[in-house]
Amino acid sequence: MDLTHSPAGKTYKALLAAGCKEFDDGGCTLFEYRLLCFKKDSVDVSLQVIANCLPEEREIYYNRLYDTKTYKWKINNNIITIEGLGDYGKLKFRDSMLIGEEIRTREKIEFNEAHK
């Protein structure tokens, strides 16, 4: 594996859904992301919800990481395979992005590198 072209040590994030919740005193916009946090030979796959609310104090009720599972991964010719996770097929590794296809809907999904 060519580690100069590897996702190891990086986190990638794809927007899955966005929606709104209204309340008498404000509301929240909720964003749901899939996170891929690559390590040397494994990847933690999580669901993340981030809220932008008014009043801001409401955000603590929604901001969460869910369903973290760890899988093995491998790369060959810039194609990443996550063993045991069939949700997105094989991911093409290009620049700071991973590109796949959501298996159920057949829609393209893009994971952008998340900078801390």
Side-chain angles (χ1 to χ4, degrees), residues 13-80:
K13 186 178 196 176
L15 179 64
L16 300 180
C20 296
K21 275 188 124 115
E22 290 187 38
F23 303 100
D24 291 338
D25 63 342
C28 295
T29 303
L30 303 172
F31 300 94
E32 185 177 287
Y33 296 94
R34 175 69 69 201
L35 294 179
L36 305 176
C37 183
F38 285 88
K39 298 174 186 160
K40 182 179 176 187
D41 60 359
S42 65
V43 57
D44 291 335
V45 179
S46 304
L47 186 65
Q48 180 183 41
V49 176
I50 296 177
N52 291 324
C53 300
L54 287 176
E56 287 182 18
E57 295 79 33
R58 193 171 271 137
E59 292 176 4
I60 63 170
Y61 299 109
Y62 295 101
N63 292 337
R64 299 261 188 282
L65 268 182
Y66 296 97
D67 300 329
T68 301
K69 294 181 182 164
T70 302
Y71 300 89
K72 296 284 185 193
W73 68 276
K74 60 185 175 184
I75 188 169
N76 187 16
N77 294 327
N78 289 331
I79 303 293
I80 295 172

Side-chain angles (χ1 to χ4, degrees), residues 73-96:
W73 68 276
K74 60 185 175 184
I75 188 169
N76 187 16
N77 294 327
N78 289 331
I79 303 293
I80 295 172
T81 304
I82 299 174
E83 298 172 13
L85 179 69
D87 296 1
Y88 310 112
K90 295 178 187 280
L91 300 169
K92 294 177 186 167
F93 184 54
R94 191 176 323 150
D95 301 321
S96 59

